[in-house]
Every structure is written in structure tokens, then in C-alpha cells.
Amino acid sequence: MHPKALLDACADLVRLVLQFEHPADAVVSRYFREHRSLGPRERATLAETAFAVLRKKLLFEQLARSGSGPKERKLAILGFFGPRDFLASALNDTEKKWLATCDAIPADALMAPHRHNLPEWMAQALQAQLGEDFWDLAEHLQQPGTLDLRVNMLQAKRSDIQKELAQAGIASEPTPYSPWGLRLQGKPALQKTDAFTRGAIEVQDEGSQLLALLVDAHRGEMVVDFCAGAGGKTLALGAAMRSTGRLYAFDVSGHRLDALKPRMARSGLSNVHPAAIAHERDERVKRLSGKIDRVLVDAPCSGLGTLRRNPDLKWRQKPQAVQELTEKQQAILQSASRLVKSGGRLVYATCSVLPEENELIAQAFSAANPDFMPLNVAQELERLKVPDAARLCTPEMADSGQIQASGMYLRLWPHRHGTDGFFAAAWVKK
């Protein structure tokens, strides 16, 4: 595609994602379906440009106030993903001068919002938790997330898959914490690899793998993934169970569970039972009350730990929505806990970085349920041979101003651990 036509298409896609009517990845997918002639490189340029604009929206909008021409075009120029000389060939002389002026502005001359590129309420919440460390996080949230894979240990060893991918020209390295993970450079076309088609690998962030690891599901057990979604953790649990026992994948969205079925078929697992439920108090849930060895509640949350991958969430998510989510999280955790049998394990997890969705939910549950004994997550991960486990469980400040007991909760951060932002708490039923 000619550089000018490609830049026009980028500006068009930027306009569509900034309407925030749908999640950005859905807008991009739809755009590609409507423009089937686009090649893989053009698709990469379009998607990465749109996501760059979402990541640095406040800065780019500020810079776009100067210069001439439509705002979406200026935003697309600032976020353009591709060689600079290719971009230059699509610009007129005025645009080239304007872009050079923008490029020359030193970072320390920018106002705080144009450096962190977060809505004010979010920036304040994160600063309260992290202090000066906040700026390191803000920087990481403006970079794309890494591409992590989970090796299906039912089928292969991690080292063998690493070699196989290398032969296909895909470089990877073992993830530092998860024993199942490989981290890739760039975004290669995995769907075409033999390892992917035969179910030996699944795309899954290392942090998400650690949540599944913490459940510590064993052969022959009864396990429930209570908010299974498209089933990334379900598949990890099934492999840990060596495809034995019974693994229930519950979700209120049948549509999301449909996405699990082809993945399940590839994985070779025969112990997974997906079931759409009406709500957390569904009859199916009641029938299993007190019978389950392990329950994972990966609760619906604000998703603010995934801003590297879903930068539109920072503009679509609102404080009042978070408040509504916390009520839902408490209700779901309480209902799911009824499934756990005596001596069984309950794990609550989110991909949020906000204490009100994390520590405060866990503390409230512990206070209301004395029959559930909180587990020290750092010690548990150490027992599961996760390297440097204590580093994954830094004590964090709760809203009450109390520092949490060290190691009680898993707390993953992009800038500290290279994963998405995740939280987990675990209990054993007495």
C-alpha cells in the first residue's frame, strides 16, 4: 500500500477507536474484516498505530493542538508504527516540520498528565500505592505487553518446545517465574506453527500462569474455575491435573465459553466440563456445594492490570464502575466459597491493580468467613518451587493505612515483574 494511503487508513482507524463505543481490539478486528485486502504488515502498522495513540492519548492530543490538518491525522502521525522514512514520504513539508518540533520536546519539559497518560483518578490511586515508583509503572504501561506462551506439559517439555520454535525462526526465553512459560520477542505468527495447531502452546501472560499454579490442582481432584471466560487458566489447570478428575469451567457468558471449545479440542484435555450459569447462585453451583477440592475465582474486574495490552480501558473505565464491580466481586467470592470442601483451597484473583478490588475484598472475606484460613502466598509459591517467590508478594499499603502482612498476597506489576498487573489471595477451608 502507498505510504499516503496507509497513513489515511491509520487516521481512519484512530478516529474509530477514539469513539470508545466498543473495546479497541474489537474495533480493529472489525476494520480488518471490512478491509480484507490488507496484508499482514499493513495490519500490524494499523493496529500498533491505533494502540500507540491510546497509550499516549493525553500527550498526543496536546501536541496535536499545534500543526495543521485533521486531528486524527496528526494523532496517527505521532503514533505511527513503522520506519520514519516511510512515514516521511507520506507527509507534506509543513507536517514534517511540525513532527520534528514535536520530537524535539524533552520529556522533562512535559506536564505530569502528558508524561503518565492516565486519567487523573487512576494516576492518584496508583501514586498513593507506589509513591515515586509510580513513574516507572506509568512508563511501562505506555509500552506494548510481551507475548508469553504456556507450554502444555501434557504434551511436551518447555525446553523441547523452545527448540522447536527456534527451528521455525521464533526466538524465546523461559519466563523467570512460571515453570510453564516462554517469552517471545516481537509478535510472530504463532497460529501457523505446528506447536500451536497440535495444542502444545497457548498464549497466556506469565502472571496468569502463576494464578493457575497457585491453585495447585492435582490428579483426580474436583476443581472449579468459577469465572472461566475463554478458558486460559482452565486449560492450565487441566494440564496440571494431567487430564484426570473433573474440572468445571463456569461462566455467565456462554459466548465466552464457546471460545474455550476449540482451545480445549487442541489441548487434548478430556476432563474439562464447560457450563454456562445464570448467576453465581445458579442451581448447578448449589449441587456441587461442599464437594470441590480447589476453586479459582478469577473475578470480573476493572482490568487495569492489562493496560499494556488494552490501553483503551484507561479511558473507558470509570470510578463508579469500579465501585459496582467490588460489590459483584464480594458476592461472587462468597458464593464460590460454598463449593469448597473441608480442607479444600479457594483462590481469589483479579487483573486489577486497585486495592479496593484486591486486598480489601480479601480482608472483608476473611473477616466474614472465619472457617477459611488465609494462606501465606509467598510460602505457598516457594513450596511450588517458584523462583524468588517473596519478590512476587511485596507488602502493599491498604486504604486503612495498614501495611499488609508480608507475603500474604500475590501482587504482580508490569514494572517490577514484567507481567500484567495481577492480584491473588488464597484460603484453606478448616
Side-chain angles (χ1 to χ4, degrees), residues 60-122:
F60 288 176
E61 284 178 340
Q62 175 64 20
L63 296 173
R65 287 179 177 175
S66 60
S68 56
K71 177 183 164 184
E72 282 85 5
R73 180 178 171 85
K74 287 184 282 187
L75 295 175
I77 292 169
L78 290 165
F80 191 80
F81 176 80
R84 268 300 164 99
D85 51 351
F86 183 89
L87 172 62
S89 63
L91 304 181
N92 61 40
D93 290 344
T94 312
E95 287 172 329
K96 283 177 194 166
K97 278 185 196 150
W98 168 74
L99 184 57
T101 307
C102 293
D103 285 345
I105 299 169
D108 56 12
L110 298 173
M111 289 169 65
H114 305 144
R115 278 171 63 207
H116 63 59
N117 284 287
L118 292 162
E120 198 46 45
W121 71 272
M122 214 176 277

Coordinates of all heavy atoms in Angstrom, one line a residue, residues 60-122:
F60 N -0.4 13.1 23.0 CA -0.6 13.3 21.5 C -1.7 14.3 21.3 O -1.5 15.1 20.4 CB -0.9 11.9 20.8 CG 0.2 11.0 20.7 CD1 0.0 9.7 20.2 CD2 1.5 11.3 21.1 CE1 1.1 8.8 20.1 CE2 2.6 10.4 21.0 CZ 2.4 9.2 20.5
E61 N -2.7 14.3 22.1 CA -3.8 15.3 21.9 C -3.2 16.7 22.2 O -3.6 17.7 21.5 CB -5.0 15.0 22.8 CG -5.8 13.8 22.3 CD -7.0 13.5 23.2 OE1 -7.0 13.8 24.3 OE2 -7.9 12.8 22.6
Q62 N -2.3 16.8 23.2 CA -1.7 18.1 23.5 C -0.9 18.6 22.3 O -1.0 19.7 21.9 CB -0.9 18.0 24.8 CG -0.1 19.2 25.1 CD -1.0 20.4 25.5 OE1 -2.1 20.3 25.8 NE2 -0.4 21.6 25.4
L63 N -0.1 17.7 21.8 CA 0.8 18.0 20.6 C 0.0 18.3 19.4 O 0.4 19.2 18.6 CB 1.8 16.9 20.3 CG 2.8 16.6 21.5 CD1 3.6 15.3 21.1 CD2 3.8 17.7 21.7
A64 N -1.1 17.7 19.2 CA -2.0 17.8 18.0 C -2.7 19.2 18.0 O -3.2 19.6 17.0 CB -3.0 16.7 17.9
R65 N -2.6 19.9 19.1 CA -3.2 21.2 19.1 C -2.5 22.2 18.2 O -3.0 23.2 17.7 CB -3.3 21.8 20.6 CG -4.3 21.1 21.4 CD -4.3 21.6 22.8 NE -5.3 21.0 23.6 CZ -5.5 21.2 24.9 NH1 -4.7 22.0 25.6 NH2 -6.5 20.6 25.6
S66 N -1.2 21.9 18.1 CA -0.4 22.7 17.1 C -0.5 22.0 15.8 O -1.1 21.0 15.7 CB 1.0 22.9 17.6 OG 1.6 21.6 17.7
G67 N 0.2 22.5 14.8 CA 0.2 21.9 13.5 C -1.1 22.1 12.8 O -2.0 22.8 13.3
S68 N -1.2 21.7 11.5 CA -2.4 21.9 10.8 C -2.9 20.6 10.2 O -2.2 19.6 10.2 CB -2.1 22.8 9.6 OG -1.1 22.3 8.8
G69 N -4.2 20.6 9.8 CA -4.8 19.4 9.3 C -5.7 18.7 10.3 O -5.8 19.2 11.5
P70 N -6.5 17.7 9.9 CA -7.4 17.0 10.9 C -6.7 16.4 12.1 O -5.6 15.9 12.0 CB -8.0 15.9 10.0 CG -7.7 16.2 8.6 CD -6.4 17.0 8.6
K71 N -7.4 16.4 13.2 CA -6.8 15.9 14.5 C -6.4 14.5 14.4 O -5.3 14.1 14.8 CB -7.8 16.1 15.6 CG -7.3 15.6 16.9 CD -8.4 15.8 18.0 CE -8.2 14.9 19.2 NZ -9.3 15.0 20.2
E72 N -7.3 13.6 13.8 CA -7.0 12.2 13.7 C -5.7 11.9 12.9 O -5.0 11.0 13.2 CB -8.2 11.4 13.1 CG -9.3 11.1 14.1 CD -10.3 12.3 14.1 OE1 -10.1 13.3 13.4 OE2 -11.2 12.2 15.0
R73 N -5.5 12.7 11.9 CA -4.3 12.5 11.0 C -3.1 12.8 11.9 O -2.1 12.1 11.8 CB -4.4 13.4 9.8 CG -3.2 13.2 8.9 CD -3.3 14.1 7.6 NE -2.1 14.1 6.8 CZ -1.7 13.2 6.0 NH1 -2.5 12.2 5.7 NH2 -0.6 13.3 5.3
K74 N -3.1 13.9 12.6 CA -2.0 14.3 13.4 C -1.7 13.3 14.5 O -0.5 12.9 14.8 CB -2.2 15.7 14.1 CG -2.1 16.8 13.1 CD -2.2 18.2 13.7 CE -3.7 18.5 14.0 NZ -3.8 19.9 14.5
L75 N -2.7 12.7 15.1 CA -2.6 11.7 16.1 C -1.9 10.4 15.5 O -1.0 9.8 16.1 CB -3.9 11.3 16.8 CG -4.6 12.4 17.6 CD1 -6.0 11.9 18.0 CD2 -3.7 12.7 18.8
A76 N -2.4 10.1 14.3 CA -1.8 8.9 13.6 C -0.4 9.1 13.2 O 0.4 8.2 13.3 CB -2.7 8.6 12.3
I77 N 0.0 10.3 12.8 CA 1.4 10.6 12.5 C 2.3 10.5 13.8 O 3.3 9.8 13.8 CB 1.6 12.1 12.0 CG1 0.9 12.2 10.6 CG2 3.0 12.5 12.0 CD1 0.7 13.7 10.1
L78 N 1.8 11.0 14.9 CA 2.5 10.9 16.2 C 2.7 9.4 16.7 O 3.7 9.1 17.2 CB 1.9 11.7 17.3 CG 1.9 13.2 17.1 CD1 0.9 13.9 18.0 CD2 3.3 13.8 17.4
G79 N 1.7 8.6 16.4 CA 1.7 7.2 16.9 C 2.2 6.2 15.8 O 2.2 5.0 16.1
F80 N 2.6 6.7 14.7 CA 2.8 5.8 13.5 C 3.8 4.7 13.8 O 4.9 5.0 14.3 CB 3.3 6.6 12.3 CG 3.3 5.8 11.0 CD1 2.1 5.6 10.3 CD2 4.5 5.2 10.5 CE1 2.1 4.8 9.2 CE2 4.5 4.5 9.4 CZ 3.3 4.2 8.7
F81 N 3.4 3.5 13.5 CA 4.3 2.3 13.8 C 4.9 1.9 12.5 O 4.3 1.4 11.6 CB 3.4 1.2 14.3 CG 4.1 -0.1 14.6 CD1 4.9 -0.3 15.7 CD2 4.1 -1.1 13.6 CE1 5.6 -1.5 15.9 CE2 4.8 -2.3 13.8 CZ 5.5 -2.5 15.0
G82 N 6.2 2.2 12.4 CA 6.9 1.8 11.1 C 8.1 2.8 10.9 O 8.3 3.7 11.7
P83 N 8.9 2.5 9.9 CA 10.1 3.3 9.7 C 9.8 4.8 9.4 O 8.8 5.1 8.8 CB 10.7 2.7 8.4 CG 10.1 1.3 8.3 CD 8.7 1.5 8.9
R84 N 10.7 5.6 10.0 CA 10.4 7.1 9.9 C 10.5 7.6 8.4 O 9.8 8.5 8.0 CB 11.5 7.9 10.7 CG 10.9 8.1 12.2 CD 9.7 9.0 12.1 NE 8.9 9.0 13.3 CZ 8.9 10.0 14.1 NH1 9.7 11.0 14.0 NH2 8.1 10.1 15.2
D85 N 11.4 7.0 7.6 CA 11.5 7.4 6.2 C 10.2 7.1 5.4 O 9.8 7.8 4.6 CB 12.8 6.9 5.6 CG 12.9 5.4 5.7 OD1 12.1 4.8 6.5 OD2 13.8 4.8 5.0
F86 N 9.6 5.9 5.8 CA 8.4 5.5 5.2 C 7.3 6.6 5.5 O 6.5 7.0 4.7 CB 8.0 4.1 5.7 CG 6.7 3.6 5.0 CD1 6.8 2.9 3.8 CD2 5.5 3.8 5.6 CE1 5.6 2.4 3.2 CE2 4.3 3.3 5.0 CZ 4.4 2.6 3.8
L87 N 7.2 6.9 6.8 CA 6.2 7.9 7.2 C 6.5 9.3 6.6 O 5.5 9.9 6.1 CB 6.3 8.1 8.8 CG 5.5 9.2 9.4 CD1 4.0 9.0 9.1 CD2 5.7 9.4 10.9
A88 N 7.7 9.7 6.5 CA 8.1 11.0 5.9 C 7.6 11.1 4.5 O 7.2 12.2 4.0 CB 9.6 11.2 6.0
S89 N 7.6 10.0 3.8 CA 7.2 10.0 2.3 C 5.7 10.2 2.2 O 5.2 10.5 1.1 CB 7.6 8.7 1.6 OG 7.0 7.6 2.2
A90 N 5.0 10.1 3.3 CA 3.5 10.4 3.3 C 3.1 11.8 3.8 O 2.0 12.2 3.7 CB 2.8 9.3 4.2
L91 N 4.2 12.6 4.2 CA 3.9 13.9 4.8 C 4.2 15.0 3.9 O 5.2 14.9 3.1 CB 4.7 14.0 6.1 CG 4.6 13.0 7.2 CD1 5.4 13.3 8.4 CD2 3.1 12.8 7.6
N92 N 3.5 16.1 4.0 CA 3.9 17.4 3.3 C 5.0 18.1 4.2 O 5.3 17.7 5.3 CB 2.7 18.2 3.0 CG 2.0 18.7 4.3 OD1 2.6 19.1 5.3 ND2 0.6 18.7 4.2
D93 N 5.6 19.2 3.6 CA 6.7 19.9 4.3 C 6.2 20.4 5.6 O 7.0 20.4 6.6 CB 7.2 21.0 3.4 CG 8.0 20.4 2.2 OD1 8.3 19.2 2.3 OD2 8.2 21.1 1.2
T94 N 5.0 21.0 5.7 CA 4.5 21.6 7.0 C 4.4 20.5 8.1 O 4.8 20.7 9.2 CB 3.1 22.2 6.8 OG1 3.2 23.0 5.6 CG2 2.7 23.0 8.0
E95 N 3.9 19.3 7.7 CA 3.8 18.2 8.6 C 5.2 17.7 9.1 O 5.3 17.4 10.3 CB 3.0 17.0 8.0 CG 1.5 17.4 7.9 CD 0.7 16.3 7.1 OE1 1.3 15.7 6.2 OE2 -0.5 16.1 7.4
K96 N 6.1 17.7 8.2 CA 7.5 17.2 8.5 C 8.1 18.2 9.6 O 8.7 17.7 10.6 CB 8.4 17.2 7.3 CG 8.1 16.0 6.4 CD 9.0 16.0 5.2 CE 8.5 15.0 4.1 NZ 9.1 15.2 2.8
K97 N 7.9 19.5 9.4 CA 8.5 20.5 10.3 C 7.8 20.3 11.7 O 8.4 20.4 12.7 CB 8.3 21.9 9.8 CG 9.3 22.3 8.8 CD 9.1 23.8 8.4 CE 9.9 24.1 7.1 NZ 9.2 25.1 6.3
W98 N 6.5 20.2 11.7 CA 5.7 20.0 12.9 C 6.1 18.8 13.7 O 6.3 18.9 14.9 CB 4.2 20.0 12.6 CG 3.3 19.5 13.7 CD1 3.0 20.3 14.8 CD2 2.7 18.3 13.9 NE1 2.2 19.6 15.7 CE2 2.0 18.3 15.1 CE3 2.7 17.1 13.2 CZ2 1.3 17.2 15.6 CZ3 2.0 16.0 13.6 CH2 1.3 16.1 14.9
L99 N 6.3 17.7 13.0 CA 6.7 16.4 13.6 C 8.1 16.6 14.2 O 8.3 16.1 15.4 CB 6.7 15.3 12.6 CG 7.0 13.9 13.2 CD1 6.0 13.5 14.3 CD2 6.9 12.8 12.1
A100 N 9.0 17.2 13.5 CA 10.4 17.5 14.1 C 10.3 18.3 15.3 O 11.0 18.0 16.3 CB 11.2 18.1 13.0
T101 N 9.4 19.3 15.4 CA 9.3 20.1 16.6 C 8.8 19.3 17.7 O 9.3 19.4 18.9 CB 8.3 21.3 16.3 OG1 8.7 22.0 15.1 CG2 8.2 22.3 17.4
C102 N 7.8 18.4 17.4 CA 7.2 17.6 18.5 C 8.3 16.6 19.0 O 8.4 16.4 20.3 CB 6.1 16.7 18.0 SG 4.6 17.7 17.5
D103 N 9.1 16.0 18.1 CA 10.1 15.1 18.5 C 11.2 15.7 19.4 O 11.8 15.1 20.2 CB 10.8 14.5 17.3 CG 9.9 13.5 16.6 OD1 8.9 13.0 17.2 OD2 10.2 13.1 15.4
A104 N 11.4 17.0 19.2 CA 12.5 17.7 19.9 C 12.1 18.1 21.4 O 13.0 18.6 22.1 CB 12.9 19.0 19.1
I105 N 10.8 18.0 21.7 CA 10.4 18.4 23.1 C 11.0 17.4 24.1 O 10.7 16.2 24.0 CB 8.9 18.4 23.2 CG1 8.3 19.5 22.3 CG2 8.5 18.8 24.7 CD1 6.8 19.4 22.1
P106 N 11.8 17.8 25.1 CA 12.4 16.9 26.1 C 11.3 16.4 27.0 O 10.3 17.2 27.4 CB 13.4 17.7 26.8 CG 13.1 19.1 26.6 CD 12.3 19.2 25.3
A107 N 11.4 15.2 27.5 CA 10.4 14.6 28.4 C 10.2 15.4 29.6 O 9.1 15.5 30.1 CB 10.8 13.1 28.7
D108 N 11.3 15.9 30.2 CA 11.1 16.6 31.5 C 10.5 18.0 31.3 O 10.2 18.7 32.3 CB 12.5 16.7 32.2 CG 13.6 17.4 31.3 OD1 13.2 18.0 30.3 OD2 14.8 17.4 31.7
A109 N 10.2 18.4 30.1 CA 9.5 19.7 29.9 C 8.0 19.5 29.8 O 7.2 20.4 29.8 CB 9.9 20.3 28.5
L110 N 7.6 18.2 29.9 CA 6.1 17.9 29.8 C 5.4 18.0 31.1 O 6.1 17.7 32.2 CB 5.9 16.5 29.3 CG 6.5 16.1 27.9 CD1 6.3 14.7 27.6 CD2 5.7 16.9 26.8
M111 N 4.2 18.4 31.1 CA 3.4 18.4 32.4 C 3.1 16.9 32.8 O 3.1 16.0 31.9 CB 2.0 19.1 32.1 CG 2.2 20.6 32.0 SD 0.6 21.3 31.4 CE -0.5 21.0 32.7
A112 N 2.8 16.7 34.1 CA 2.6 15.3 34.6 C 1.6 14.5 33.8 O 2.0 13.4 33.4 CB 2.2 15.4 36.1
P113 N 0.4 15.0 33.5 CA -0.5 14.1 32.7 C 0.0 13.7 31.4 O -0.3 12.6 30.9 CB -1.8 15.0 32.6 CG -1.6 16.1 33.7 CD -0.2 16.3 33.8
H114 N 0.8 14.5 30.8 CA 1.4 14.2 29.4 C 2.6 13.2 29.5 O 3.0 12.7 28.5 CB 1.8 15.5 28.7 CG 0.7 16.5 28.6 ND1 0.9 17.8 28.7 CD2 -0.7 16.3 28.4 CE1 -0.3 18.5 28.6 NE2 -1.3 17.5 28.4
R115 N 3.1 13.1 30.8 CA 4.1 12.1 31.0 C 3.5 10.7 31.4 O 3.9 9.7 30.9 CB 5.1 12.5 32.1 CG 6.1 13.5 31.6 CD 6.9 14.1 32.8 NE 7.6 13.1 33.6 CZ 7.9 13.1 34.9 NH1 7.5 14.2 35.6 NH2 8.6 12.2 35.5
H116 N 2.4 10.7 32.2 CA 1.9 9.4 32.7 C 0.7 9.0 31.8 O 0.5 7.8 31.7 CB 1.5 9.5 34.1 CG 0.4 10.4 34.5 ND1 -0.9 10.4 34.0 CD2 0.4 11.4 35.5 CE1 -1.6 11.3 34.6 NE2 -0.8 12.0 35.5
N117 N 0.1 9.9 31.1 CA -1.0 9.5 30.1 C -2.1 8.6 30.8 O -2.5 7.6 30.2 CB -0.4 8.8 28.9 CG 0.2 9.8 28.0 OD1 -0.5 10.6 27.3 ND2 1.5 9.9 27.9
L118 N -2.5 9.0 32.0 CA -3.6 8.3 32.7 C -4.6 9.3 33.1 O -4.3 10.4 33.3 CB -3.0 7.6 33.9 CG -2.1 6.4 33.7 CD1 -1.3 6.2 35.0 CD2 -2.8 5.2 33.3
P119 N -5.9 8.8 33.2 CA -6.9 9.7 33.8 C -6.5 10.1 35.2 O -5.9 9.3 35.9 CB -8.2 8.9 33.7 CG -7.9 7.6 33.2 CD -6.4 7.5 32.9
E120 N -6.9 11.2 35.7 CA -6.4 11.8 36.9 C -6.8 10.8 38.1 O -5.9 10.6 39.0 CB -7.0 13.2 37.2 CG -6.3 14.0 38.2 CD -4.7 14.0 38.1 OE1 -4.2 14.1 37.0 OE2 -4.1 13.8 39.1
W121 N -8.0 10.3 38.1 CA -8.4 9.5 39.3 C -7.5 8.2 39.4 O -7.2 7.7 40.4 CB -9.9 9.1 39.2 CG -10.2 8.1 38.1 CD1 -10.6 8.4 36.8 CD2 -10.3 6.7 38.1 NE1 -10.8 7.3 36.0 CE2 -10.6 6.2 36.9 CE3 -10.1 5.7 39.2 CZ2 -10.8 4.8 36.6 CZ3 -10.2 4.4 38.9 CH2 -10.6 3.9 37.6
M122 N -7.1 7.7 38.2 CA -6.3 6.5 38.1 C -4.9 6.8 38.6 O -4.2 6.0 39.4 CB -6.3 5.9 36.7 CG -6.2 4.5 36.6 SD -6.4 4.0 34.9 CE -8.1 4.0 34.6

